[in-house]
Amino acid sequence: MKAAKVCERCGRAVCVRCDPELGIGSKQCGQCVNVFSRRGLVPQQLRARKQLQVDRHQAWTGRVAYALGAVLSGAGHVASGVPVRGALYAFGFLFALAAVLLHQGLVRGPYGEAPLYLKLAPAALLLLGVHLLSLRGLRRLRRGE
């Protein structure tokens, strides 16, 4: 069992055992709760510094998710916290990739003696389409649409 979760704002550990003031379902660390929820406790300078830390963390996680999505469609969605959509994108991407790479197949196709580029065109278009849709979905997820 993991004792700590990750803060949704800054990425620090959220430990309910260590900080009994936090609620059981808390998704923010003690610092973020004090800085952003209890406004009168923290001076404006410290709040601004914490907001810069939060912005840096969110930009970094967004870049990592986008890089994972560029390497393997769907992996960026899984890293961003949308695992079902990521699994569907990854399945479509890997299916199309397998169709392109394993174009000989196990059974002879019904195309006859058509040129190879005509055989691979549908799978390559599917591969490109799924990859572009995944990256567009990641960009929208990052902007919050």
Side-chain angles (χ1 to χ4, degrees):
M1 301 280 298
K2 290 174 63 176
K5 296 180 276 187
V6 177
C7 178
E8 66 181 7
R9 285 195 178 209
C10 67
R12 292 174 39 123
V14 178
C15 181
V16 179
R17 290 184 202 164
C18 303
D19 194 357
E21 202 171 291
L22 295 175
I24 291 177
S26 181
K27 295 182 180 181
Q28 294 183 9
C29 64
Q31 272 189 2
C32 287
V33 168
N34 286 333
V35 170
F36 298 114
S37 297
R38 302 174 185 156
R39 300 224 179 237
L41 295 178
V42 179
Q44 185 64 29
Q45 294 171 341
L46 293 176
R47 187 176 303 131
R49 187 170 10 146
K50 184 65 177 179
Q51 186 61 45
L52 285 173
Q53 289 175 353
V54 167
D55 292 342
R56 267 187 301 210
H57 171 73
Q58 289 177 348
W60 182 81
T61 57
R63 277 188 241 116
V64 167
Y66 201 74
L68 285 173
V71 171
L72 174 66
S73 289
H77 284 59
V78 173
S80 295
V82 191
V84 174
R85 187 184 309 168
L88 291 174
Y89 276 128
F91 176 76
F93 180 76
L94 292 174
F95 178 77
L97 185 66
V100 169
L101 294 179
L102 304 173
H103 60 85
Q104 296 293 331
L106 298 175
V107 191
R108 187 171 291 264
Y111 318 115
E113 293 302 319
L116 182 62
Y117 69 89
L118 288 178
K119 293 178 184 179
L120 293 179
L125 288 175
L126 176 66
L127 179 69
L128 181 67
V130 168
H131 193 64
L132 291 176
L133 282 174
S134 173
L135 291 177
R136 185 187 75 162
L138 265 177
R139 194 175 313 117
R140 283 186 174 179
L141 186 67
R142 203 169 156 192
R143 284 190 303 204
E145 291 180 2

